Coordinates of all heavy atoms in Angstrom, one line a residue:
M1277 N -102.6 -74.1 -20.8 CA -102.9 -73.1 -21.8 C -104.4 -73.0 -22.1 O -105.1 -73.9 -22.0 CB -102.2 -73.5 -23.1 CG -100.8 -73.1 -23.2 SD -100.4 -72.8 -24.9 CE -98.9 -73.5 -25.0
E1278 N -104.8 -71.8 -22.4 CA -106.2 -71.5 -22.7 C -106.4 -71.4 -24.2 O -105.5 -71.0 -24.9 CB -106.5 -70.2 -22.0 CG -108.0 -69.7 -22.2 CD -108.3 -68.4 -21.5 OE1 -107.5 -68.0 -20.7 OE2 -109.2 -67.8 -21.9
E1279 N -107.6 -71.9 -24.6 CA -107.9 -71.8 -26.1 C -109.1 -70.9 -26.3 O -110.0 -70.8 -25.5 CB -108.3 -73.2 -26.6 CG -108.6 -73.2 -28.0 CD -109.0 -74.6 -28.5 OE1 -108.2 -75.5 -28.4 OE2 -110.1 -74.7 -29.1
Y1280 N -109.0 -70.0 -27.3 CA -110.1 -69.1 -27.6 C -110.3 -69.2 -29.1 O -109.4 -69.1 -29.9 CB -109.7 -67.7 -27.2 CG -110.8 -66.7 -27.3 CD1 -111.7 -66.5 -26.3 CD2 -111.0 -65.9 -28.5 CE1 -112.8 -65.7 -26.4 CE2 -112.0 -65.0 -28.6 CZ -112.9 -64.9 -27.5 OH -114.0 -64.0 -27.6
R1281 N -111.6 -69.3 -29.5 CA -112.0 -69.3 -30.9 C -113.0 -68.1 -31.1 O -113.8 -67.9 -30.3 CB -112.8 -70.6 -31.2 CG -111.9 -71.8 -31.2 CD -112.8 -73.0 -31.3 NE -112.0 -74.2 -31.1 CZ -111.7 -75.1 -32.1 NH1 -112.2 -75.0 -33.3 NH2 -111.0 -76.1 -31.8
G1282 N -112.8 -67.4 -32.2 CA -113.6 -66.3 -32.5 C -113.3 -65.6 -33.8 O -112.4 -66.0 -34.5
L1283 N -114.1 -64.6 -34.1 CA -113.9 -63.8 -35.3 C -112.9 -62.7 -35.1 O -113.0 -62.0 -34.1 CB -115.3 -63.2 -35.7 CG -115.4 -62.4 -37.0 CD1 -115.2 -63.3 -38.2 CD2 -116.7 -61.7 -37.0
L1284 N -112.0 -62.6 -36.0 CA -111.0 -61.5 -36.0 C -111.7 -60.2 -36.4 O -112.1 -60.1 -37.5 CB -109.8 -61.8 -37.0 CG -108.8 -60.8 -37.1 CD1 -108.1 -60.5 -35.8 CD2 -107.8 -61.1 -38.2
E1285 N -111.8 -59.3 -35.4 CA -112.5 -58.1 -35.7 C -111.6 -56.9 -36.0 O -111.9 -56.1 -36.8 CB -113.4 -57.7 -34.5 CG -114.6 -58.6 -34.3 CD -115.5 -58.1 -33.2 OE1 -115.2 -57.1 -32.5 OE2 -116.6 -58.6 -33.1
K1286 N -110.4 -56.8 -35.3 CA -109.6 -55.7 -35.5 C -108.1 -56.0 -35.2 O -107.9 -56.8 -34.3 CB -110.0 -54.5 -34.6 CG -109.3 -53.2 -34.9 CD -110.1 -52.1 -34.3 CE -109.5 -50.8 -34.6 NZ -109.6 -50.3 -35.9
T1287 N -107.2 -55.5 -35.9 CA -105.8 -55.6 -35.6 C -105.1 -54.2 -35.4 O -105.4 -53.3 -36.1 CB -105.0 -56.3 -36.8 OG1 -105.2 -55.6 -38.0 CG2 -105.5 -57.7 -37.0
I1288 N -104.3 -54.2 -34.3 CA -103.7 -52.9 -33.9 C -102.2 -53.1 -33.7 O -101.8 -54.1 -33.1 CB -104.3 -52.4 -32.6 CG1 -105.8 -52.2 -32.8 CG2 -103.6 -51.1 -32.2 CD1 -106.5 -52.1 -31.4
L1289 N -101.3 -52.3 -34.3 CA -99.9 -52.4 -34.1 C -99.5 -51.6 -32.8 O -99.8 -50.4 -32.8 CB -99.1 -51.8 -35.3 CG -97.6 -51.8 -35.2 CD1 -97.1 -53.3 -35.2 CD2 -97.0 -51.1 -36.4
L1290 N -99.0 -52.3 -31.8 CA -98.6 -51.6 -30.6 C -97.2 -51.0 -30.6 O -97.0 -49.9 -30.2 CB -98.7 -52.6 -29.4 CG -100.1 -53.2 -29.1 CD1 -100.0 -54.2 -28.0 CD2 -101.1 -52.1 -28.8
Q1291 N -96.3 -51.8 -31.1 CA -94.9 -51.3 -31.3 C -94.2 -52.1 -32.4 O -94.5 -53.2 -32.6 CB -94.1 -51.3 -30.0 CG -93.7 -52.7 -29.6 CD -92.9 -52.6 -28.3 OE1 -93.2 -51.8 -27.4 NE2 -91.9 -53.4 -28.1
E1292 N -93.3 -51.4 -33.0 CA -92.5 -52.1 -34.1 C -91.1 -52.5 -33.7 O -90.6 -53.5 -34.2 CB -92.5 -51.2 -35.4 CG -92.1 -52.0 -36.6 CD -92.5 -51.2 -37.9 OE1 -93.0 -50.1 -37.8 OE2 -92.1 -51.7 -38.9
K1293 N -90.5 -51.6 -32.9 CA -89.1 -51.9 -32.5 C -89.0 -51.7 -31.0 O -89.7 -50.9 -30.4 CB -88.2 -50.9 -33.2 CG -88.0 -51.1 -34.7 CD -87.0 -50.2 -35.3 CE -87.0 -50.5 -36.8 NZ -86.1 -49.6 -37.4
P1294 N -88.2 -52.4 -30.3 CA -87.2 -53.5 -30.7 C -87.9 -54.8 -31.0 O -87.3 -55.6 -31.7 CB -86.3 -53.6 -29.5 CG -87.2 -53.3 -28.4 CD -88.1 -52.2 -28.9
I1295 N -89.1 -55.0 -30.6 CA -89.8 -56.2 -30.9 C -91.2 -55.8 -31.4 O -91.9 -54.9 -30.8 CB -90.0 -57.1 -29.6 CG1 -90.7 -58.4 -29.9 CG2 -90.6 -56.4 -28.5 CD1 -90.7 -59.4 -28.8
M1296 N -91.6 -56.5 -32.5 CA -92.9 -56.1 -33.1 C -94.0 -56.8 -32.2 O -94.0 -58.0 -32.0 CB -93.0 -56.6 -34.5 CG -94.2 -56.1 -35.3 SD -94.0 -56.5 -37.0 CE -95.4 -55.6 -37.7
M1297 N -95.0 -56.0 -31.8 CA -96.1 -56.5 -31.0 C -97.4 -55.9 -31.6 O -97.5 -54.8 -32.0 CB -96.0 -56.1 -29.5 CG -94.9 -56.8 -28.8 SD -94.8 -56.4 -27.0 CE -96.2 -55.5 -26.6
S1298 N -98.4 -56.8 -31.7 CA -99.7 -56.4 -32.2 C -100.8 -56.9 -31.3 O -100.6 -57.9 -30.5 CB -99.9 -56.9 -33.7 OG -99.8 -58.3 -33.7
L1299 N -101.9 -56.3 -31.4 CA -103.0 -56.6 -30.6 C -104.2 -57.0 -31.5 O -104.5 -56.2 -32.5 CB -103.4 -55.5 -29.7 CG -104.6 -55.7 -28.7 CD1 -104.1 -56.6 -27.6 CD2 -105.1 -54.3 -28.2
L1300 N -104.9 -58.1 -31.3 CA -106.0 -58.5 -32.0 C -107.2 -58.4 -31.1 O -107.1 -58.7 -29.9 CB -105.9 -60.0 -32.5 CG -104.7 -60.4 -33.2 CD1 -104.8 -61.9 -33.5 CD2 -104.5 -59.6 -34.5
I1301 N -108.3 -57.9 -31.7 CA -109.6 -58.0 -30.9 C -110.5 -59.0 -31.6 O -110.7 -58.9 -32.8 CB -110.3 -56.6 -30.9 CG1 -109.3 -55.6 -30.2 CG2 -111.6 -56.7 -30.2 CD1 -109.8 -54.2 -30.2
M1302 N -110.9 -60.0 -30.8 CA -111.6 -61.1 -31.3 C -113.0 -61.2 -30.6 O -113.1 -60.8 -29.4 CB -110.9 -62.4 -31.1 CG -109.6 -62.5 -31.9 SD -108.7 -64.0 -31.6 CE -109.9 -65.3 -31.8
S1303 N -114.0 -61.7 -31.2 CA -115.3 -61.9 -30.7 C -115.8 -63.3 -31.0 O -115.7 -63.7 -32.1 CB -116.2 -60.8 -31.2 OG -117.6 -61.1 -30.8
N1304 N -116.5 -63.9 -30.0 CA -117.1 -65.2 -30.2 C -118.6 -65.0 -30.2 O -119.4 -66.0 -30.1 CB -116.7 -66.2 -29.2 CG -117.1 -65.9 -27.8 OD1 -117.7 -64.9 -27.5 ND2 -116.7 -66.8 -26.9
G1305 N -119.1 -63.8 -30.3 CA -120.6 -63.6 -30.3 C -121.1 -63.1 -29.0 O -122.0 -62.3 -28.9
E1306 N -120.5 -63.6 -27.9 CA -121.0 -63.3 -26.6 C -120.0 -62.3 -25.9 O -120.4 -61.4 -25.1 CB -121.1 -64.5 -25.7 CG -122.1 -65.5 -26.3 CD -121.9 -66.9 -25.6 OE1 -121.1 -67.1 -24.7 OE2 -122.6 -67.8 -26.0
E1307 N -118.7 -62.5 -26.1 CA -117.7 -61.7 -25.5 C -116.6 -61.4 -26.4 O -116.4 -62.0 -27.4 CB -117.2 -62.4 -24.2 CG -116.4 -63.6 -24.5 CD -115.9 -64.4 -23.3 OE1 -116.2 -63.9 -22.2 OE2 -115.3 -65.4 -23.5
K1308 N -115.8 -60.3 -26.1 CA -114.7 -59.9 -26.9 C -113.4 -60.1 -26.0 O -113.5 -60.0 -24.8 CB -114.7 -58.5 -27.3 CG -115.8 -58.2 -28.3 CD -115.7 -56.8 -28.8 CE -116.9 -56.6 -29.8 NZ -116.8 -55.3 -30.5
T1309 N -112.3 -60.5 -26.6 CA -111.1 -60.6 -25.9 C -110.0 -60.0 -26.7 O -110.0 -59.9 -27.9 CB -110.8 -62.1 -25.6 OG1 -109.7 -62.2 -24.7 CG2 -110.4 -62.9 -26.8
E1310 N -108.9 -59.6 -26.0 CA -107.7 -59.0 -26.6 C -106.7 -60.1 -26.7 O -106.4 -60.8 -25.7 CB -107.2 -57.8 -25.9 CG -108.2 -56.7 -25.8 CD -107.7 -55.5 -25.0 OE1 -106.8 -55.7 -24.2 OE2 -108.3 -54.4 -25.1
V1311 N -106.0 -60.2 -27.8 CA -104.9 -61.2 -28.0 C -103.7 -60.4 -28.3 O -103.6 -59.6 -29.3 CB -105.3 -62.2 -29.1 CG1 -104.2 -63.2 -29.4 CG2 -106.6 -62.9 -28.9
L1312 N -102.6 -60.7 -27.6 CA -101.3 -60.0 -27.8 C -100.4 -61.0 -28.6 O -100.3 -62.2 -28.2 CB -100.7 -59.7 -26.4 CG -99.5 -58.9 -26.4 CD1 -99.8 -57.5 -27.0 CD2 -99.0 -58.8 -25.0
I1313 N -99.8 -60.5 -29.6 CA -98.9 -61.3 -30.4 C -97.5 -60.6 -30.4 O -97.4 -59.4 -30.8 CB -99.4 -61.4 -31.9 CG1 -100.7 -62.2 -31.9 CG2 -98.3 -62.1 -32.8 CD1 -101.3 -62.3 -33.3
K1314 N -96.5 -61.4 -30.0 CA -95.2 -60.8 -29.8 C -94.2 -61.3 -30.9 O -93.0 -61.1 -30.8 CB -94.6 -61.2 -28.4 CG -95.3 -60.6 -27.3 CD -94.7 -61.0 -26.0 CE -95.3 -60.4 -24.8 NZ -94.7 -60.8 -23.5
D1315 N -94.7 -62.0 -31.9 CA -93.8 -62.6 -32.9 C -93.9 -61.7 -34.2 O -95.0 -61.4 -34.6 CB -94.4 -64.0 -33.3 CG -93.5 -64.7 -34.3 OD1 -92.4 -65.1 -34.0 OD2 -94.1 -64.8 -35.5
R1316 N -92.7 -61.3 -34.7 CA -92.7 -60.4 -35.8 C -93.3 -61.0 -37.1 O -94.1 -60.4 -37.8 CB -91.2 -60.1 -36.2 CG -91.1 -59.2 -37.4 CD -89.7 -58.7 -37.6 NE -89.2 -57.7 -36.6 CZ -89.6 -56.5 -36.6 NH1 -90.3 -55.9 -37.5 NH2 -89.1 -55.7 -35.6
Y1317 N -93.1 -62.3 -37.4 CA -93.7 -62.9 -38.6 C -95.2 -63.0 -38.4 O -95.9 -62.7 -39.3 CB -93.1 -64.3 -38.7 CG -93.8 -65.1 -39.8 CD1 -93.6 -64.9 -41.1 CD2 -94.6 -66.2 -39.4 CE1 -94.3 -65.6 -42.1 CE2 -95.3 -66.9 -40.3 CZ -95.2 -66.6 -41.7 OH -95.9 -67.3 -42.6
L1318 N -95.7 -63.5 -37.3 CA -97.1 -63.6 -37.1 C -97.8 -62.3 -37.1 O -98.9 -62.1 -37.6 CB -97.4 -64.4 -35.8 CG -98.8 -64.9 -35.6 CD1 -99.3 -65.7 -36.8 CD2 -98.8 -65.8 -34.4
S1319 N -97.2 -61.3 -36.5 CA -97.7 -59.9 -36.5 C -97.9 -59.4 -37.9 O -98.9 -58.8 -38.2 CB -96.9 -59.0 -35.6 OG -96.9 -59.3 -34.3
G1320 N -96.9 -59.6 -38.7 CA -97.0 -59.1 -40.1 C -98.0 -59.9 -40.9 O -98.7 -59.4 -41.7
Y1321 N -98.2 -61.2 -40.5 CA -99.1 -62.0 -41.2 C -100.6 -61.6 -40.9 O -101.4 -61.4 -41.8 CB -99.0 -63.5 -40.8 CG -99.9 -64.4 -41.4 CD1 -99.7 -64.9 -42.7 CD2 -101.1 -64.8 -40.8 CE1 -100.5 -65.8 -43.3 CE2 -102.0 -65.6 -41.4 CZ -101.7 -66.1 -42.7 OH -102.6 -67.0 -43.3
V1322 N -100.9 -61.3 -39.7 CA -102.3 -60.9 -39.3 C -102.7 -59.6 -39.9 O -103.9 -59.3 -40.1 CB -102.6 -61.0 -37.8 CG1 -102.4 -62.4 -37.3 CG2 -101.7 -60.0 -37.0
F1323 N -101.7 -58.7 -40.2 CA -102.1 -57.4 -40.8 C -102.5 -57.6 -42.3 O -103.1 -56.7 -42.8 CB -100.9 -56.4 -40.7 CG -100.9 -55.8 -39.3 CD1 -99.9 -56.1 -38.4 CD2 -101.8 -54.9 -38.9 CE1 -99.9 -55.5 -37.2 CE2 -101.8 -54.3 -37.7 CZ -100.8 -54.6 -36.8
R1324 N -102.2 -58.7 -42.9 CA -102.6 -59.0 -44.3 C -104.0 -59.6 -44.3 O -104.6 -59.7 -45.4 CB -101.6 -59.9 -44.9 CG -100.3 -59.3 -45.2 CD -99.4 -60.2 -46.0 NE -98.9 -61.2 -45.1 CZ -98.1 -62.2 -45.5 NH1 -97.8 -62.3 -46.7 NH2 -97.7 -63.0 -44.6
L1325 N -104.5 -60.0 -43.2 CA -105.9 -60.6 -43.1 C -107.0 -59.5 -43.1 O -106.9 -58.6 -42.3 CB -106.0 -61.5 -41.9 CG -105.1 -62.7 -41.9 CD1 -105.3 -63.4 -40.5 CD2 -105.3 -63.6 -43.0
P1326 N -108.0 -59.6 -43.9 CA -109.1 -58.7 -43.8 C -109.9 -58.9 -42.4 O -110.0 -60.0 -41.9 CB -110.0 -59.0 -45.0 CG -109.5 -60.3 -45.5 CD -108.2 -60.6 -44.9
E1327 N -110.4 -57.8 -41.9 CA -111.1 -57.8 -40.6 C -112.5 -58.3 -40.9 O -113.1 -58.2 -42.0 CB -111.1 -56.5 -40.0 CG -109.7 -56.0 -39.6 CD -109.6 -54.6 -39.1 OE1 -110.7 -53.9 -39.2 OE2 -108.6 -54.2 -38.7
N1328 N -113.1 -58.9 -39.8 CA -114.5 -59.4 -39.8 C -114.7 -60.5 -40.9 O -115.8 -60.5 -41.5 CB -115.5 -58.3 -40.0 CG -115.4 -57.4 -38.8 OD1 -115.5 -57.8 -37.6 ND2 -115.4 -56.1 -39.0
K1329 N -113.7 -61.3 -41.2 CA -113.9 -62.3 -42.2 C -113.5 -63.7 -41.7 O -114.1 -64.7 -42.1 CB -113.1 -62.0 -43.5 CG -113.3 -63.0 -44.6 CD -112.7 -62.5 -45.9 CE -113.0 -63.6 -47.0 NZ -112.3 -63.2 -48.2
Y1330 N -112.4 -63.8 -41.0 CA -111.8 -65.1 -40.6 C -112.1 -65.4 -39.2 O -111.9 -64.6 -38.3 CB -110.3 -65.1 -40.9 CG -110.0 -65.1 -42.4 CD1 -109.5 -63.9 -43.0 CD2 -110.3 -66.2 -43.2 CE1 -109.3 -63.9 -44.3 CE2 -110.1 -66.1 -44.5 CZ -109.5 -65.0 -45.1 OH -109.3 -64.9 -46.4
R1331 N -112.4 -66.7 -39.0 CA -112.6 -67.3 -37.6 C -111.2 -67.9 -37.3 O -110.7 -68.6 -38.1 CB -113.7 -68.3 -37.5 CG -115.0 -67.7 -37.7 CD -116.2 -68.6 -37.4 NE -116.0 -69.2 -36.1 CZ -116.3 -68.7 -34.9 NH1 -116.7 -67.4 -34.8 NH2 -116.2 -69.4 -33.8
I1332 N -110.6 -67.6 -36.2 CA -109.3 -68.1 -35.8 C -109.4 -68.7 -34.4 O -110.3 -68.5 -33.6 CB -108.2 -67.0 -35.9 CG1 -108.6 -65.8 -35.0 CG2 -108.0 -66.5 -37.3 CD1 -107.5 -64.8 -35.0
R1333 N -108.4 -69.6 -34.2 CA -108.2 -70.3 -32.9 C -106.9 -69.9 -32.4 O -105.9 -70.0 -33.1 CB -108.3 -71.8 -33.1 CG -108.2 -72.5 -31.8 CD -108.3 -74.0 -32.0 NE -107.1 -74.6 -32.7 CZ -106.0 -75.0 -32.2 NH1 -105.8 -74.9 -30.9 NH2 -105.0 -75.4 -32.9
I1334 N -106.9 -69.4 -31.1 CA -105.6 -69.0 -30.5 C -105.4 -69.8 -29.2 O -106.4 -70.0 -28.5 CB -105.7 -67.5 -30.1 CG1 -105.9 -66.6 -31.3 CG2 -104.5 -67.0 -29.3 CD1 -104.8 -66.4 -32.2
E1335 N -104.2 -70.2 -29.0 CA -103.9 -70.9 -27.7 C -102.8 -70.0 -27.1 O -101.9 -69.5 -27.7 CB -103.3 -72.3 -27.9 CG -104.4 -73.3 -28.3 CD -103.8 -74.7 -28.4 OE1 -102.7 -75.0 -27.8 OE2 -104.4 -75.5 -29.1
G1336 N -102.9 -69.9 -25.8 CA -101.9 -69.1 -25.0 C -102.3 -68.9 -23.6 O -103.2 -69.6 -23.1
R1337 N -101.6 -68.0 -22.9 CA -101.9 -67.8 -21.5 C -102.3 -66.3 -21.3 O -101.9 -65.4 -22.1 CB -100.6 -68.0 -20.7 CG -100.1 -69.5 -20.8 CD -99.1 -69.8 -19.8 NE -98.5 -71.1 -20.0 CZ -99.0 -72.2 -19.5 NH1 -100.1 -72.2 -18.9 NH2 -98.4 -73.3 -19.8
R1338 N -103.0 -66.0 -20.2 CA -103.4 -64.7 -19.9 C -102.3 -64.0 -19.2 O -101.6 -64.5 -18.3 CB -104.7 -64.7 -19.0 CG -105.9 -65.3 -19.7 CD -106.7 -64.3 -20.4 NE -107.8 -64.9 -21.1 CZ -108.6 -64.3 -21.9 NH1 -108.4 -63.0 -22.1 NH2 -109.5 -64.8 -22.5
N1339 N -102.2 -62.6 -19.4 CA -101.2 -61.8 -18.7 C -102.0 -61.0 -17.6 O -103.2 -61.2 -17.4 CB -100.4 -60.9 -19.6 CG -101.3 -59.9 -20.4 OD1 -102.5 -59.7 -20.1 ND2 -100.7 -59.2 -21.4
K1340 N -101.3 -60.1 -16.9 CA -101.9 -59.4 -15.8 C -103.1 -58.5 -16.3 O -103.9 -58.2 -15.5 CB -100.8 -58.5 -15.2 CG -99.7 -59.2 -14.5 CD -98.7 -58.2 -13.9 CE -97.5 -59.0 -13.4 NZ -96.5 -58.0 -12.9
R1341 N -103.0 -58.1 -17.6 CA -104.1 -57.2 -18.1 C -105.3 -58.0 -18.7 O -106.1 -57.5 -19.4 CB -103.5 -56.3 -19.2 CG -102.5 -55.3 -18.6 CD -102.0 -54.4 -19.7 NE -101.0 -53.5 -19.1 CZ -100.3 -52.7 -19.8 NH1 -100.4 -52.7 -21.2 NH2 -99.5 -51.9 -19.3
N1342 N -105.3 -59.3 -18.4 CA -106.3 -60.3 -18.9 C -106.3 -60.4 -20.5 O -107.3 -60.6 -21.1 CB -107.7 -59.9 -18.4 CG -108.6 -61.1 -18.5 OD1 -108.2 -62.2 -18.4 ND2 -109.9 -60.8 -18.6
Q1343 N -105.1 -60.1 -21.1 CA -105.0 -60.3 -22.5 C -104.4 -61.7 -22.7 O -103.6 -62.2 -22.0 CB -104.0 -59.3 -23.1 CG -104.4 -57.9 -23.0 CD -103.3 -56.9 -23.3 OE1 -102.2 -57.1 -23.0 NE2 -103.7 -55.7 -23.8
L1344 N -104.9 -62.3 -23.8 CA -104.4 -63.7 -24.1 C -103.1 -63.5 -24.9 O -103.1 -62.9 -26.0 CB -105.4 -64.4 -24.9 CG -105.2 -65.9 -25.2 CD1 -105.1 -66.7 -23.9 CD2 -106.3 -66.4 -26.1
V1345 N -102.0 -64.0 -24.4 CA -100.7 -63.9 -25.1 C -100.6 -65.2 -26.0 O -100.5 -66.3 -25.5 CB -99.5 -63.8 -24.2 CG1 -98.2 -63.8 -24.9 CG2 -99.7 -62.6 -23.2
A1346 N -100.6 -65.0 -27.3 CA -100.7 -66.1 -28.3 C -99.4 -66.9 -28.3 O -98.3 -66.4 -28.4 CB -101.0 -65.5 -29.7
K1347 N -99.6 -68.2 -28.3 CA -98.5 -69.2 -28.6 C -98.8 -70.0 -29.9 O -97.8 -70.3 -30.6 CB -98.4 -70.2 -27.4 CG -98.0 -69.6 -26.1 CD -96.6 -69.1 -26.1 CE -96.2 -68.5 -24.8 NZ -95.0 -67.8 -24.8
H1348 N -100.0 -70.3 -30.2 CA -100.4 -71.0 -31.4 C -101.6 -70.3 -32.0 O -102.5 -69.7 -31.4 CB -100.9 -72.4 -31.0 CG -99.8 -73.2 -30.4 ND1 -98.7 -73.8 -31.1 CD2 -99.6 -73.6 -29.1 CE1 -98.0 -74.4 -30.2 NE2 -98.5 -74.3 -29.0
F1349 N -101.5 -70.2 -33.4 CA -102.5 -69.5 -34.2 C -103.0 -70.4 -35.3 O -102.2 -71.0 -36.0 CB -101.8 -68.2 -34.7 CG -102.6 -67.4 -35.6 CD1 -103.3 -66.3 -35.1 CD2 -102.7 -67.6 -37.0 CE1 -104.1 -65.5 -36.0 CE2 -103.4 -66.8 -37.8 CZ -104.1 -65.8 -37.3
E1350 N -104.3 -70.5 -35.5 CA -104.8 -71.3 -36.6 C -106.1 -70.6 -37.2 O -106.9 -70.1 -36.5 CB -105.2 -72.7 -36.1 CG -105.8 -73.6 -37.1 CD -106.3 -74.9 -36.5 OE1 -106.2 -75.1 -35.3 OE2 -106.8 -75.7 -37.3
I1351 N -106.2 -70.6 -38.5 CA -107.3 -70.1 -39.2 C -108.3 -71.2 -39.5 O -107.9 -72.3 -40.0 CB -106.9 -69.4 -40.6 CG1 -106.0 -68.2 -40.3 CG2 -108.2 -69.0 -41.4 CD1 -105.4 -67.6 -41.6
L1352 N -109.5 -71.1 -39.0 CA -110.5 -72.1 -39.0 C -111.3 -72.2 -40.3 O -111.9 -73.2 -40.7 CB -111.5 -72.0 -37.8 CG -110.8 -72.1 -36.5 CD1 -111.8 -71.8 -35.4 CD2 -110.2 -73.5 -36.3
N1353 N -111.4 -71.1 -41.0 CA -112.1 -71.1 -42.3 C -111.3 -70.5 -43.5 O -111.5 -69.5 -44.0 CB -113.4 -70.3 -42.2 CG -113.2 -68.8 -41.8 OD1 -112.2 -68.5 -41.2 ND2 -114.2 -68.0 -42.1
P1354 N -110.2 -71.3 -43.9 CA -109.4 -70.8 -44.9 C -110.1 -70.8 -46.3 O -111.1 -71.6 -46.5 CB -108.2 -71.9 -45.0 CG -108.8 -73.1 -44.4 CD -109.8 -72.6 -43.4
D1355 N -109.7 -69.9 -47.1 CA -110.3 -69.8 -48.4 C -109.2 -69.6 -49.5 O -108.0 -69.9 -49.2 CB -111.3 -68.6 -48.5 CG -110.7 -67.3 -48.1 OD1 -109.5 -67.2 -47.9 OD2 -111.4 -66.2 -48.1
E1356 N -109.5 -69.2 -50.7 CA -108.5 -69.0 -51.7 C -107.4 -68.0 -51.4 O -106.3 -68.2 -51.7 CB -109.2 -68.6 -53.0 CG -110.1 -69.7 -53.6 CD -109.3 -70.9 -54.0 OE1 -108.2 -70.8 -54.5 OE2 -109.9 -72.0 -53.7
Y1357 N -107.8 -66.9 -50.7 CA -106.8 -65.9 -50.3 C -105.8 -66.5 -49.3 O -104.6 -66.3 -49.5 CB -107.5 -64.7 -49.6 CG -106.6 -63.6 -49.2 CD1 -105.9 -62.8 -50.1 CD2 -106.4 -63.4 -47.8 CE1 -105.1 -61.8 -49.7 CE2 -105.5 -62.4 -47.4 CZ -104.9 -61.6 -48.3 OH -104.0 -60.6 -47.9
I1358 N -106.2 -67.3 -48.4 CA -105.3 -68.0 -47.5 C -104.4 -69.0 -48.2 O -103.2 -69.1 -47.9 CB -106.0 -68.7 -46.3 CG1 -106.8 -67.7 -45.5 CG2 -105.1 -69.4 -45.4 CD1 -106.1 -66.6 -44.9
K1359 N -104.9 -69.6 -49.2 CA -104.1 -70.6 -50.0 C -103.0 -69.8 -50.8 O -101.9 -70.3 -51.0 CB -105.0 -71.3 -51.0 CG -105.9 -72.3 -50.3 CD -106.8 -73.0 -51.2 CE -107.7 -73.9 -50.5 NZ -108.7 -74.6 -51.3
I1360 N -103.3 -68.6 -51.2 CA -102.3 -67.8 -51.9 C -101.2 -67.3 -50.9 O -100.0 -67.4 -51.2 CB -103.0 -66.6 -52.6 CG1 -103.8 -67.1 -53.7 CG2 -101.9 -65.6 -53.1 CD1 -104.7 -66.1 -54.4
I1361 N -101.6 -66.7 -49.8 CA -100.6 -66.1 -48.9 C -100.0 -67.1 -48.0 O -99.0 -66.8 -47.3 CB -101.1 -64.9 -48.1 CG1 -102.2 -65.3 -47.1 CG2 -101.6 -63.8 -49.0 CD1 -102.6 -64.2 -46.2
G1362 N -100.6 -68.3 -47.9 CA -100.1 -69.3 -47.0 C -100.6 -69.2 -45.6 O -101.2 -68.1 -45.2
A1363 N -100.5 -70.2 -44.8 CA -101.0 -70.2 -43.4 C -99.8 -70.2 -42.5 O -98.7 -70.9 -42.8 CB -101.8 -71.4 -43.2
P1364 N -99.8 -69.5 -41.4 CA -98.7 -69.5 -40.4 C -98.6 -70.9 -39.8 O -99.5 -71.6 -39.6 CB -99.1 -68.5 -39.4 CG -100.6 -68.5 -39.4 CD -101.0 -68.8 -40.8
E1365 N -97.3 -71.2 -39.4 CA -97.1 -72.5 -38.8 C -97.0 -72.3 -37.3 O -96.6 -71.4 -36.8 CB -95.8 -73.1 -39.3 CG -95.9 -73.4 -40.8 CD -94.6 -74.0 -41.3 OE1 -93.7 -74.2 -40.5 OE2 -94.6 -74.2 -42.5

């Protein structure tokens, strides 16, 4: 599995049914990468996060389009807002 750490810049909803999929654009200062999330709970969670505020760590594998398909998600700089809405497991 590959690990990527960076700033969450943008969230995009790709499809809602039959499976909810979202795309995150992350940047580590030097490069940007696209992260694909196929989990309904996690997709809904990331849409509640403000853009350009949180550094996150993603673990997953690359697909044919060189997108990182997320398996594990972690917020590296939690604050009071994250304590209120909770952190994904």
Side-chain angles (χ1 to χ4, degrees):
M1277 273 210 222
E1278 181 180 340
E1279 180 179 305
Y1280 189 85
R1281 294 173 185 244
L1283 181 68
L1284 174 64
E1285 289 189 353
K1286 188 160 182 76
T1287 56
I1288 303 164
L1289 180 64
L1290 297 177
Q1291 73 180 38
E1292 195 166 357
K1293 292 183 181 180
I1295 180 173
M1296 189 172 189
M1297 287 183 12
S1298 59
L1299 182 73
L1300 308 178
I1301 299 177
M1302 295 176 53
S1303 170
N1304 65 1
E1306 301 165 2
E1307 63 181 2
K1308 292 186 180 190
T1309 192
E1310 295 178 347
V1311 179
L1312 188 64
I1313 297 179
K1314 294 182 179 180
D1315 181 72
R1316 178 173 290 280
Y1317 169 75
L1318 192 54
S1319 290
Y1321 180 85
V1322 296
F1323 279 108
R1324 291 185 283 178
L1325 297 176
E1327 296 173 351
N1328 295 313
K1329 183 173 182 181
Y1330 292 108
R1331 294 193 48 79
I1332 57 178
R1333 181 179 68 87
I1334 301 284
E1335 286 183 25
R1337 300 192 189 277
R1338 297 271 178 185
N1339 63 11
K1340 293 177 186 176
R1341 295 180 180 173
N1342 200 28
Q1343 297 167 327
L1344 188 62
V1345 181
K1347 295 290 181 193
H1348 300 284
F1349 177 93
E1350 179 184 2
I1351 297 174
L1352 298 174
N1353 59 338
D1355 59 2
E1356 292 299 319
Y1357 180 70
I1358 299 301
K1359 291 177 184 174
I1360 292 170
I1361 66 171
E1365 297 180 4

